[in-house]
Amino acid sequence: MRYFATLALMVLMLSGCSGRPLPSVNAPDSVGDFIQRYQLEPGNRVRVVVFNEQNLSSEYLIDSAGNINMPLAGTVRAAGGTAAALTEKIQDALIRSNYLRDPKVTVEVQTYRPFYVLGEVKQPGEYTFTVGMSVLSAIARAGGYDYRAREEEVILLRIVDGREQEFRAIERTPILPGDIIRVTERHF
């Protein structure tokens, strides 16, 4: 009887140390040109350059309503579209204001949606996204793995076509703004 009780206790202990299983689907190994597809949202900062118009060229914060406010162009809707779409909206607004006939405008995203690192890292939390980041650089920003971490393979949560999907990721996997990286506990 004592043998079965000891065996049952060991099974319970080991099942608690097994950690969460990794998803069966591998994360994409490239992100393509996500900058062209990135959807602007409140809180993003954009740099607008109007050729030969120093007073209009500046950095603008997309406000909580999803707009930027520019001199002469007024309030321009930014959220929900890309930088290219915002470029066209600003050009149209400047033409409608009768200030410029053929404005040349470029828009660059300066700040992106943050990413998150959770689980077995030294400093889990929200971090500023930088173009070209990988899972490993994200974990480094979170202070590195802690002693319980399952290293080299993690869970990556990403919104794809409006739905959250889980992927198995390795340290070289590139990340996108808004990604959630979950470092699981290793098997003992």
Side-chain angles (χ1 to χ4, degrees):
M1 185 59 109
R2 184 173 177 185
Y3 171 76
F4 290 113
T6 304
L7 183 61
L9 182 61
M10 287 177 58
V11 168
L12 284 173
M13 288 174 49
L14 288 175
S15 67
C17 295
S18 65
R20 181 178 178 168
L22 292 171
S24 59
V25 178
N26 290 334
D29 58 0
S30 72
V31 292
D33 192 11
F34 82 91
I35 295 171
Q36 302 300 319
R37 299 182 317 270
Y38 182 75
Q39 298 287 305
L40 298 170
E41 61 185 27
N44 288 147
R45 185 171 294 281
V46 294
R47 174 143 183 77
V48 177
V49 176
V50 182
F51 184 68
N52 283 336
E53 297 295 330
Q54 297 291 350
N55 294 336
L56 297 177
S57 299
S58 186
E59 282 192 14
Y60 298 93
L61 180 66
I62 300 175
D63 66 21
S64 60
N67 303 314
I68 62 170
N69 294 302
M70 285 184 64
L72 302 175
T75 301
V76 180
R77 180 79 182 154
T82 63
L86 181 56
T87 297
E88 290 179 22
K89 288 179 181 181
I90 293 169
Q91 287 175 168
D92 292 345
L94 290 171
I95 291 169
R96 280 194 313 274
S97 74
N98 290 322
Y99 181 71
L100 297 171
R101 285 189 199 163
D102 187 25
K104 304 293 184 220
V105 177
T106 60
V107 174
E108 295 177 355
V109 180
Q110 299 294 301
T111 60
Y112 293 91
R113 192 170 33 258
F115 67 91
Y116 305 86
V117 183
L118 306 173
E120 303 303 324
V121 292
K122 293 180 181 168
Q123 298 169 337
E126 175 183 294
Y127 294 93
T128 303
F129 178 81
T130 305
V131 174
M133 292 192 71
S134 68
V135 165
L136 184 59
S137 58
I139 290 170
R141 284 215 187 152
Y145 295 110
D146 75 7
Y147 70 94
R148 292 182 305 261
R150 178 181 193 171
E151 296 183 21
E152 298 173 3
E153 287 187 312
V154 300
I155 297 171
L156 175 71
L157 285 88
R158 179 175 289 163
I159 303 296
V160 178
D161 297 328
R163 293 183 39 225
E164 184 178 279
Q165 291 187 345
E166 281 191 348
F167 298 99
R168 172 183 284 209
I170 59 174
E171 291 178 336
R172 292 185 315 273
T173 301
I175 67 168
L176 293 173
D179 279 356
I180 300 171
I181 298 158
R182 186 180 308 131
V183 178
T184 59
E185 190 172 12
R186 73 171 183 260
H187 299 283
F188 289 105

